[in-house]
Coordinates of all heavy atoms in Angstrom, one line a residue:
D1 N -49.8 10.5 120.1 CA -48.8 9.5 120.4 C -49.6 8.2 120.8 O -49.1 7.1 120.6 CB -48.0 9.9 121.6 CG -47.0 11.0 121.3 OD1 -46.8 11.2 120.1 OD2 -46.4 11.5 122.2
Q2 N -50.8 8.4 121.4 CA -51.6 7.3 121.9 C -52.6 6.9 120.8 O -52.9 5.7 120.6 CB -52.3 7.7 123.2 CG -51.4 8.1 124.3 CD -50.4 7.0 124.7 OE1 -50.8 5.9 124.7 NE2 -49.2 7.4 124.9
Q3 N -53.2 7.8 120.1 CA -54.2 7.6 119.0 C -53.7 8.3 117.8 O -54.0 9.4 117.5 CB -55.6 8.1 119.4 CG -56.2 7.4 120.6 CD -57.5 8.0 120.9 OE1 -57.6 9.0 121.6 NE2 -58.6 7.4 120.4
P4 N -52.9 7.6 117.0 CA -52.1 8.3 115.9 C -53.0 8.9 114.8 O -54.1 8.3 114.5 CB -51.3 7.2 115.3 CG -51.1 6.1 116.4 CD -52.4 6.2 117.1
V5 N -52.6 9.9 114.3 CA -53.1 10.5 113.0 C -51.9 10.5 112.1 O -50.8 10.9 112.4 CB -53.6 11.9 113.3 CG1 -53.9 12.7 112.0 CG2 -54.9 11.9 114.1
Y6 N -52.2 10.2 110.8 CA -51.1 10.1 109.8 C -51.4 11.1 108.7 O -52.5 11.4 108.4 CB -51.1 8.7 109.2 CG -50.8 7.6 110.2 CD1 -51.9 6.9 110.8 CD2 -49.5 7.4 110.7 CE1 -51.6 5.9 111.8 CE2 -49.3 6.4 111.6 CZ -50.3 5.7 112.2 OH -50.0 4.7 113.1
P7 N -50.3 11.7 108.2 CA -48.9 11.3 108.3 C -48.2 11.8 109.6 O -47.0 11.6 109.7 CB -48.3 11.9 107.1 CG -49.0 13.2 106.8 CD -50.5 12.8 107.2
A8 N -48.9 12.6 110.4 CA -48.2 13.3 111.5 C -47.4 12.3 112.4 O -46.3 12.6 112.9 CB -49.2 14.1 112.3
A9 N -47.9 11.1 112.6 CA -47.3 10.2 113.5 C -46.2 9.4 112.9 O -45.6 8.5 113.6 CB -48.4 9.2 114.1
L10 N -45.9 9.6 111.7 CA -44.8 8.8 111.0 C -43.4 9.3 111.6 O -43.2 10.5 111.9 CB -44.8 9.0 109.5 CG -46.1 8.5 108.8 CD1 -46.0 8.8 107.3 CD2 -46.2 7.0 109.0
D11 N -42.5 8.4 111.7 CA -41.2 8.7 112.2 C -40.2 8.9 111.0 O -39.6 8.0 110.5 CB -40.7 7.6 113.1 CG -39.3 7.9 113.7 OD1 -38.9 9.1 113.7 OD2 -38.7 6.9 114.2
L12 N -40.2 10.2 110.6 CA -39.4 10.6 109.4 C -38.5 11.7 109.8 O -39.0 12.7 110.4 CB -40.3 11.0 108.2 CG -41.1 9.9 107.5 CD1 -42.1 10.5 106.6 CD2 -40.1 9.0 106.7
P13 N -37.2 11.7 109.5 CA -36.3 12.8 109.9 C -36.6 14.1 109.2 O -36.2 15.2 109.6 CB -34.9 12.3 109.6 CG -35.1 11.2 108.6 CD -36.5 10.6 108.9
N14 N -37.3 14.0 108.0 CA -37.6 15.2 107.2 C -39.0 15.6 107.3 O -39.6 16.3 106.4 CB -37.1 15.1 105.8 CG -37.7 13.8 105.1 OD1 -38.1 12.8 105.8 ND2 -37.8 13.8 103.8
L15 N -39.7 15.2 108.4 CA -41.1 15.5 108.6 C -41.2 16.4 109.9 O -40.8 16.0 110.9 CB -42.0 14.3 108.8 CG -43.4 14.5 109.2 CD1 -44.2 15.1 108.0 CD2 -44.1 13.2 109.6
L16 N -41.8 17.6 109.7 CA -42.0 18.5 110.8 C -43.5 18.6 111.0 O -44.3 18.8 110.1 CB -41.5 19.9 110.4 CG -41.5 21.0 111.5 CD1 -40.5 20.7 112.6 CD2 -41.2 22.3 110.8
V17 N -44.0 18.4 112.3 CA -45.4 18.3 112.6 C -45.8 19.5 113.5 O -45.1 19.8 114.5 CB -45.7 17.0 113.3 CG1 -47.2 16.9 113.6 CG2 -45.4 15.8 112.4
V18 N -46.9 20.1 113.1 CA -47.3 21.4 113.8 C -48.7 21.3 114.2 O -49.5 20.7 113.6 CB -47.0 22.6 113.0 CG1 -45.5 22.8 112.8 CG2 -47.7 22.6 111.7
T19 N -49.0 22.0 115.3 CA -50.4 22.2 115.8 C -50.6 23.6 116.1 O -49.7 24.4 115.9 CB -50.7 21.3 117.0 OG1 -52.1 21.2 117.2 CG2 -50.0 21.8 118.3
S20 N -51.9 24.0 116.4 CA -52.2 25.4 116.6 C -52.1 25.8 118.1 O -52.5 25.0 119.0 CB -53.6 25.6 116.1 OG -54.0 27.0 116.2
A21 N -51.7 27.0 118.3 CA -51.6 27.6 119.6 C -52.6 28.8 119.8 O -52.9 29.5 118.8 CB -50.2 28.2 119.9
D22 N -53.1 28.9 121.0 CA -54.1 30.0 121.2 C -53.4 31.3 121.7 O -52.2 31.3 121.7 CB -55.2 29.6 122.2 CG -54.6 29.3 123.6 OD1 -53.5 29.6 123.9 OD2 -55.4 28.6 124.4
D23 N -54.2 32.3 122.0 CA -53.6 33.6 122.5 C -52.8 33.5 123.8 O -52.1 34.4 124.1 CB -54.7 34.6 122.7 CG -55.3 35.1 121.3 OD1 -54.6 34.9 120.3 OD2 -56.4 35.6 121.3
F24 N -53.0 32.4 124.5 CA -52.3 32.2 125.8 C -51.0 31.4 125.6 O -50.4 30.9 126.5 CB -53.2 31.5 126.8 CG -54.3 32.4 127.3 CD1 -55.4 32.6 126.6 CD2 -54.1 33.1 128.5 CE1 -56.4 33.5 127.1 CE2 -55.1 33.9 129.0 CZ -56.3 34.1 128.3
A25 N -50.6 31.1 124.3 CA -49.4 30.4 124.0 C -49.6 28.9 124.5 O -48.6 28.3 125.0 CB -48.2 31.0 124.5
R26 N -50.8 28.4 124.4 CA -51.0 27.0 124.8 C -51.6 26.3 123.6 O -52.1 26.9 122.7 CB -52.1 26.9 125.9 CG -51.8 27.7 127.1 CD -53.0 27.8 128.1 NE -54.2 28.3 127.4 CZ -55.2 28.7 128.1 NH1 -55.3 28.7 129.4 NH2 -56.3 29.2 127.4
P27 N -51.5 24.9 123.6 CA -52.2 24.2 122.5 C -53.7 24.6 122.5 O -54.4 24.6 123.5 CB -52.1 22.7 122.9 CG -50.8 22.7 123.7 CD -50.8 24.0 124.5
A28 N -54.2 25.0 121.3 CA -55.6 25.5 121.2 C -56.6 24.4 121.5 O -56.3 23.2 121.4 CB -55.8 26.1 119.8
E29 N -57.8 24.9 121.9 CA -58.8 23.9 122.2 C -59.2 23.1 121.0 O -59.4 23.7 119.9 CB -60.1 24.7 122.7 CG -61.2 23.8 123.1 CD -62.4 24.6 123.6 OE1 -62.3 25.8 123.7 OE2 -63.4 23.9 124.0
G30 N -59.3 21.8 121.1 CA -59.7 21.0 120.0 C -58.6 20.4 119.1 O -58.9 19.6 118.3

């Protein structure tokens, strides 16, 4: 949100953006 990466930061209604979760159900390191 602060330092965008594209296409993930584009505002599109048909765009789904995902990241990785670790074994603790948290955003993974890095």
